[in-house]
Amino acid sequence: MPKVVAVAGSPRKGGNTDMLLGSFIEGATQAGASVELFKVRDLDISPCRHCGGCDKSGICVIKDQHSDLADKIYHADLFVLSAPVFFSGYPAITKAFIDRFQAYWIRRYVLNSLIHPGPKSFLLSLGGTRGMKNFEGVTMTFKYLVHSVNGQVAGRLAYPEIDAKAAVEKHPSALSDGYEQGRTQVENLESEMAHRE
């Protein structure tokens, strides 16, 4: 059974990206995955201090809830992150969550200690402005986050002009797309696992 770690990165409870993530999780669950959901807004995660404390060990010196969640992501089969776009980037709480993966970057690129392959990873993002350029920043940041845990980016769903409360429900395909991607990503993992056996 594929293990999925889903992280909701919106500061707004029940917002549009939460709803899109819910559709993805529904599809993944229907396809047979085990899903753990974490909401960054409910977690104790401090920002990176750039203190250099992880430079020799690859272990962050800050003691909060990030290290356990990061370990779950690293060992997952699929990691999915949902977040809205704020000024072409992530909300502050989500960026703090991402920046703390510096310790994993050290493990992979300095200490060469990440032998285990990381998760396939998928990004879900919504933005209020027009056009897709608004998603370039979050997409690039997500790529480097995934690389830090020795993972691979499996895909992205991004939709502009979705901002008002529950606006995603009025989009012609976003929620159904989320469901289908959740199902498809898990089915792809199951196929890969079967071929390895």
Side-chain angles (χ1 to χ4, degrees):
M1 177 184 294
K3 294 185 296 183
V4 178
V5 172
V7 175
S10 176
R12 183 168 66 176
K13 181 179 179 180
N16 290 305
T17 53
D18 278 8
M19 296 170 70
L20 182 58
L21 180 59
S23 293
F24 187 100
I25 289 172
E26 184 180 356
T29 303
Q30 287 292 323
S34 169
V35 181
E36 283 190 275
L37 171 62
F38 299 89
K39 300 168 185 176
V40 177
R41 61 181 173 268
D42 295 335
L43 300 177
D44 173 25
I45 295 178
S46 298
C48 177
R49 301 171 187 163
H50 196 56
C51 64
C54 64
D55 286 354
K56 293 184 178 180
S57 65
I59 298 172
C60 184
V61 298
I62 301 173
K63 304 303 179 186
D64 59 17
Q65 292 180 286
H66 188 273
S67 59
D68 287 344
L69 176 53
D71 188 64
K72 286 179 180 290
I73 290 170
Y74 174 51
H75 288 97
D77 297 305
L78 178 65
F79 162 50
V80 55
L81 172 66
S82 71
V85 175
F86 283 14
F87 289 93
S88 298
Y90 286 95
I93 57 170
T94 308
K95 188 58 166 64
F97 156 76
I98 291 170
D99 288 347
R100 287 284 299 284
F101 280 87
Q102 174 67 13
Y104 274 83
W105 188 93
I106 291 290
R107 290 187 209 180
R108 180 171 184 190
Y109 293 106
V110 178
L111 303 178
N112 298 311
S113 62
L114 284 191
I115 300 173
H116 177 77
K120 297 289 179 65
S121 302
F122 203 93
L123 175 64
L124 304 170
S125 190
L126 304 172
T129 60
R130 297 178 181 178
M132 296 303 291
K133 284 189 175 181
N134 197 35
F135 298 99
E136 290 178 359
V138 294
T139 300
M140 185 64 71
T141 300
F142 183 71
K143 171 185 171 183
Y144 289 119
L145 161 62
V146 172
H147 286 180
S148 75
V149 292
N150 204 22
Q152 297 178 8
V153 176
R156 177 194 80 168
L157 288 178
Y159 300 95
E161 298 185 80
I162 296 179
D163 194 22
K165 185 176 181 180
V168 71
E169 292 183 318
K170 299 176 182 178
H171 190 278
S173 68
L175 294 181
S176 59
D177 291 346
Y179 177 89
E180 286 302 318
Q181 279 298 328
R183 181 182 60 79
T184 299
Q185 294 301 320
V186 170
E187 288 177 350
N188 289 345
L189 282 170
E190 290 174 330
S191 178
E192 291 177 15
M193 290 176 176
H195 283 116
R196 289 197 296 264
E197 292 176 355

